[in-house]
Amino acid sequence: MKTFYLTTPIYYPNARPHVGSAYTTIVCDVIARYKRMCGYDVAFLTGTDEHGEKIQRAAEAAGVSPQQFVAEKRKLFLRLWEKLGISVTVYPDGQPDSLRFIYTEHPDHVTSVQRLLKRARANKVDGQEIIYKKRYEGRYCVSDERYVSDNTDPVNCDICGRPAELISEENYFFRLSAFEKQLMDLYEKNPDFVKPDYRMNEVKSFVKSGLRDISISRRRLKWGIPWPDDPEQVFYVWYDALTSYMTGIGYAEGENGSATFKKYWRNTGKVLGARSEVLGEEPRTSHLTPDTSGEIVHMIGKDILRFHAIYWPAFIMAAYPDQPQMLPTTVFAHGWIYYEEDKMSKSKGNVVYPEPIVDALNSFGAPGNDALRYYLLRETTFGQDTSFSYDKLIERYNSDLANGLGNLASRTITLIHRCFDSLIPQPPSQLVDKEVDFLKGQFFGLREYETRATSQGPQSVMIGTSPQLVFYRLGFDSYSPSLAVTVIWVLVSWMNQYLVKREPWKLSESPTDQNLEALRLVLYTAADLLRAVAVLVYPIIPASAERLWMQLGCEECLGKLENQRIDQLQWGDLKPGTKVSKPEPIFPRLDKEKTLAKLHELADADFDRDKPKEATKPVESETPKAPVASSSTGFQPGKEDTAKMAVLRESSMPSAPVDSKISIEDFAKVEMRVGEVLSAEPIPGATKLLKLQVDIGTEVRQVCAGIAEYYQPEQLVGMKVILVTNLQPRKLRGVESNGMILAASVGEQGKPILATFKEDVPKGAKLK
């Protein structure tokens, strides 16, 4: 049996999980259910990354030990997955149909991390040791747990924008620079290793710009996995966290991992796309006819792509040289979820949590979990950024679930209940002419259906041959679940139109022999299509699909819904004479005004729950720190004194003139780098904006620039420009912009003239 191992990120539990964490896990749960229903042996993993400086500081700010802090936060994740209807088993337990949960504080994980390191230390690359020790001094970002700069100049993190802190210590380093060629070979031979494709371009550009060796230990930090043979050091949090993917399925057991680990990870038959060339096998030619016997897929957010697509394969290559079957198959980086087009932020008070959404919809009798799952999959092109909206959630629920699938189910089952004593009718073996004409033009658009249906009856037609099912499966197999969802609702929409055109309620009012025969055909067609839709929609909205399955009486004649095979789905499996249940609404329509009020009410009440405290302790360094200046009297005001002083200033002091000058420290906060424009294209619907891809040496940034009236896209390609790189991302016309290109404003019309260079300046050079 083919194996499929799917992982979410190993979440950082410094705060309560929000809808972004739920999004990744829900999508992975949908894909895992789909793969099981296609005959795969699936393992599905999530977990918490519980070490590192950020956790240590958060624990200190909360006044508890790191062990207590992570144990409590871990429970929040476990409760959320259960709340969202995703069954969880905590490591070392693991059930085939449940989400496995690993946490990095587990003793087995210590074994895994140290084992991977020891294997790397036993190997060399280009005659050099892979792991070596040296002193490091530079700037470090605590928020992203990464070194930002190798010099001591002030700099902001290029990922989160926060000021990086100065550190100086002796660490163990991983010789990442020696793996450039191996990584590029991996990407070239396996184009599916990073998805979507434009993310692969980012990764390749970063590697081509030159890799630096990275520190994989910390000396000043005590909260982490101990370094073997050196008790003063602990592991770098990313070396620690990434290894969780192996720990969670038994890497620590025995000398070479458990039987479960060998099944899901050490699978020598693993092939995907051009990767088969590495193993000397025939390349895979189609998403729908894979010859792979094992796949490993990491589903992550785009902000941690570098760690997964560069560091992680290099760590594995170092420990297992010449064993490409040990590498993951695909790293898929999806976008971020915004709230009403704005980035979620605790300080802005716009972080969306899943629990109040589920509770609010449940309070009106709607299936809250399924509504949230459906909205996240239908509204989002997976891989791109999306904006969460309560309004759109309700609109999508009412239009697609209540009016679409719910209406179809209610009408069909009600008519069967009323017209045929709750029994699925026997369809006629021959179709009437009007039915043939209608089905020829509408039912899946297949000429084959007309021929086979008229000669053998409708139950003989394979749904699996329909283009709709081809696109449904392609959607999931190519990690585009929104395509799969769209295909299902094309069928739902078609079937609703079919009922409107055939008007079975009118046929039932005039029960002639011809009308009864037509009625049996129409209602059997609708019921069996509903049965097929229940199978197809189960991975997406499992609880509602189960209710539909039970109302159709399918469990009695076909067994449990979760055991149905999508890859073997065919027309006519619903047995005539099956008894349907009493029709009950699966998706009651929501009153938008009342539902919005309830959503905001529960969200407001919920917002302060488990609100994390920001840690303010500075990074401990071996470099002496300058003393903090105090007032001439030695007085250091407390919080109450500071507040009183502020009131006195506002009430009794004249307003000071505003000084428009900024300090050199303020200017140092702005990071500007040289970038080369790789591509430029108009943004649909925008007359002034162009979307640019700008290579700044370490990465490729997408930037929106209001220069379309003055520059043609082809003029910009290859131009060296100045890019402000530490601005917060923002959306313009729905397109995310990660930086700002500098330009002079000339003349009364403010014509932009891009700032560029006469001399050849390397990409990524910093402006000072």
Side-chain angles (χ1 to χ4, degrees), residues 408 411 438 442 489-503 505:
L408 173 62
R411 289 200 290 189
F438 184 71
Q442 300 293 330
W489 259 259
V490 168
L491 297 179
V492 169
S493 176
W494 176 86
M495 202 62 222
N496 272 315
Q497 293 172 29
Y498 172 72
L499 292 182
V500 169
K501 184 175 181 70
R502 301 305 288 138
E503 297 182 312
W505 41 88

Side-chain angles (χ1 to χ4, degrees), residues 222-264:
K222 302 307 176 188
W223 178 240
I225 292 178
W227 189 270
D229 310 323
D230 192 341
E232 291 187 338
Q233 304 270 351
V234 298
F235 277 87
Y236 171 45
V237 67
W238 276 106
Y239 198 97
D240 169 355
L242 292 164
T243 311
S244 299
Y245 299 133
M246 299 171 79
T247 305
I249 51 169
Y251 180 58
E253 298 177 36
E255 293 185 6
N256 295 301
S258 66
T260 301
F261 176 75
K262 292 171 184 176
K263 176 170 70 168
Y264 291 111

Side-chain angles (χ1 to χ4, degrees), residues 445-696:
L446 282 183
R447 295 178 61 83
E448 182 184 9
Y449 181 85
E450 175 191 353
T451 303
R452 296 176 65 181
T454 54
S455 61
Q456 302 173 37
Q459 58 266 43
S460 66
V461 176
M462 293 286 293
I463 292 178
T465 63
S466 74
Q468 276 79 2
L469 190 61
V470 169
F471 282 112
Y472 169 87
R473 295 193 62 191
L474 179 61
F476 277 122
D477 291 337
S478 62
Y479 306 106
S480 301
S482 60
L483 172 61
V485 177
T486 301
V487 167
I488 297 171
W489 259 259
V490 168
L491 297 179
V492 169
S493 176
W494 176 86
M495 202 62 222
N496 272 315
Q497 293 172 29
Y498 172 72
L499 292 182
V500 169
K501 184 175 181 70
R502 301 305 288 138
E503 297 182 312
W505 41 88
K506 287 190 177 180
L507 293 172
S508 67
E509 293 171 359
S510 179
T512 64
D513 289 345
Q514 185 178 2
N515 283 352
L516 283 176
E517 187 161 297
L519 184 61
R520 286 192 287 122
L521 173 66
V522 171
L523 292 183
Y524 180 86
T525 300
D528 202 35
L529 183 62
L530 270 175
R531 184 232 1 135
V533 167
V535 174
L536 297 176
V537 85
Y538 174 75
I540 301 154
I541 47 174
S544 300
E546 284 274 11
R547 288 189 63 192
L548 177 57
W549 190 255
M550 297 298 290
Q551 284 193 27
L552 287 168
C554 291
E555 185 157 330
E556 180 183 342
C557 65
L558 295 171
K560 290 185 176 296
L561 176 54
E562 63 188 37
N563 295 332
Q564 304 304 302
R565 289 287 293 269
I566 289 172
D567 58 333
Q568 297 174 5
L569 190 62
Q570 64 180 10
W571 180 258
D573 272 352
L574 183 57
K575 295 178 182 178
T578 299
K579 188 169 185 177
V580 300
S581 300
K582 183 180 178 181
E584 294 179 349
I586 300 173
F587 304 106
R589 186 172 175 80
L590 294 172
D591 180 284
K592 186 174 182 179
E593 186 176 337
K594 291 180 181 178
T595 307
L596 276 175
K598 191 69 172 179
L599 282 165
H600 287 296
E601 174 193 338
L602 295 187
D604 291 344
D606 181 81
F607 183 73
D608 289 330
R609 196 184 88 183
D610 301 315
K611 188 175 181 180
K613 299 176 181 177
E614 292 293 333
T616 56
K617 183 180 177 182
V619 174
E620 295 179 8
S621 169
E622 295 178 17
T623 304
K625 298 181 177 64
V628 179
S630 63
S631 67
S632 58
T633 61
F635 169 71
Q636 297 292 329
K639 291 183 180 179
E640 293 183 5
D641 300 304
T642 304
K644 291 175 182 177
M645 291 165 65
V647 171
L648 286 172
R649 281 198 301 270
E650 290 183 8
S651 60
S652 60
M653 296 182 67
S655 299
V658 177
D659 189 352
S660 61
K661 295 184 176 65
I662 63 172
S663 67
I664 189 66
E665 289 79 10
D666 290 330
F667 178 75
K669 294 177 183 178
V670 181
E671 183 179 280
M672 294 177 286
R673 293 189 181 273
V674 178
E676 180 179 341
V677 179
L678 301 180
S679 67
E681 59 182 287
I683 295 175
T687 57
K688 297 182 179 180
L689 290 175
L690 291 177
K691 180 174 69 175
L692 312 180
Q693 301 295 328
V694 183
D695 184 354
I696 58 171

Side-chain angles (χ1 to χ4, degrees), residues 288-520:
L288 300 182
T289 57
D291 62 352
T292 174
S293 58
E295 296 178 45
I296 300 171
V297 178
H298 298 315
M299 203 68 71
I300 61 167
K302 64 180 182 180
D303 53 325
I304 54 176
L305 175 60
R306 189 182 307 173
F307 304 104
H308 285 78
I310 300 173
Y311 293 7
W312 181 224
F315 294 160
I316 297 173
M317 289 172 176
Y320 294 93
D322 304 317
Q323 295 189 49
Q325 72 273 14
M326 289 294 291
L327 293 168
T329 315
T330 301
V331 174
F332 192 103
H334 65 73
W336 290 336
I337 291 188
Y338 293 83
Y339 175 70
E340 302 287 5
E341 306 293 342
D342 194 10
K343 192 171 184 180
M344 292 188 198
S345 165
K346 298 181 186 68
S347 61
K348 294 178 182 177
N350 67 348
V351 179
V352 178
Y353 295 109
E355 296 94 333
I357 296 172
V358 173
D359 290 341
L361 270 60
N362 284 348
S363 70
F364 293 105
N369 266 332
D370 284 352
L372 179 61
R373 289 169 70 100
Y374 180 79
Y375 169 76
L376 290 175
L377 267 76
R378 181 67 189 268
E379 198 70 19
T380 306
T381 300
F382 195 56
Q384 299 180 9
D385 293 337
T386 188
S387 182
F388 190 94
S389 163
Y390 288 140
D391 287 75
K392 290 181 181 177
L393 169 67
I394 298 168
E395 289 169 4
R396 185 63 80 176
Y397 171 87
N398 280 336
S399 64
D400 292 9
L401 295 178
N403 293 351
L405 180 56
N407 189 40
L408 173 62
S410 177
R411 289 200 290 189
T412 302
I413 296 172
T414 297
L415 283 168
I416 293 172
H417 184 75
R418 190 175 72 206
C419 300
F420 293 102
D421 239 1
S422 299
L423 300 178
I424 300 291
Q426 174 73 49
S429 59
Q430 299 294 325
L431 304 180
V432 296
D433 290 342
K434 285 197 297 185
E435 204 71 32
V436 172
D437 292 340
F438 184 71
L439 293 174
K440 177 180 177 181
Q442 300 293 330
F443 191 82
F444 302 130
L446 282 183
R447 295 178 61 83
E448 182 184 9
Y449 181 85
E450 175 191 353
T451 303
R452 296 176 65 181
T454 54
S455 61
Q456 302 173 37
Q459 58 266 43
S460 66
V461 176
M462 293 286 293
I463 292 178
T465 63
S466 74
Q468 276 79 2
L469 190 61
V470 169
F471 282 112
Y472 169 87
R473 295 193 62 191
L474 179 61
F476 277 122
D477 291 337
S478 62
Y479 306 106
S480 301
S482 60
L483 172 61
V485 177
T486 301
V487 167
I488 297 171
W489 259 259
V490 168
L491 297 179
V492 169
S493 176
W494 176 86
M495 202 62 222
N496 272 315
Q497 293 172 29
Y498 172 72
L499 292 182
V500 169
K501 184 175 181 70
R502 301 305 288 138
E503 297 182 312
W505 41 88
K506 287 190 177 180
L507 293 172
S508 67
E509 293 171 359
S510 179
T512 64
D513 289 345
Q514 185 178 2
N515 283 352
L516 283 176
E517 187 161 297
L519 184 61
R520 286 192 287 122

Side-chain angles (χ1 to χ4, degrees), residues 53-112:
E53 193 151 8
K54 193 159 51 173
I55 289 290
Q56 181 173 302
R57 293 189 183 190
E60 290 172 356
V64 298
S65 69
Q67 289 89 344
Q68 290 175 291
F69 184 84
V70 296
E72 287 303 312
K73 296 298 182 186
R74 189 187 309 150
K75 293 176 185 176
L76 297 177
F77 285 84
L78 291 169
R79 285 201 293 264
L80 177 59
W81 309 145
E82 293 288 356
K83 174 89 173 176
L84 295 178
I86 303 173
S87 174
V88 187
T89 52
V90 180
Y91 181 88
D93 294 333
Q95 299 297 326
D97 58 348
S98 71
L99 172 58
R100 299 162 184 256
F101 187 95
I102 181 65
Y103 54 98
T104 59
E105 257 291 272
H106 195 284
D108 279 6
H109 187 60
V110 176
T111 302
S112 291

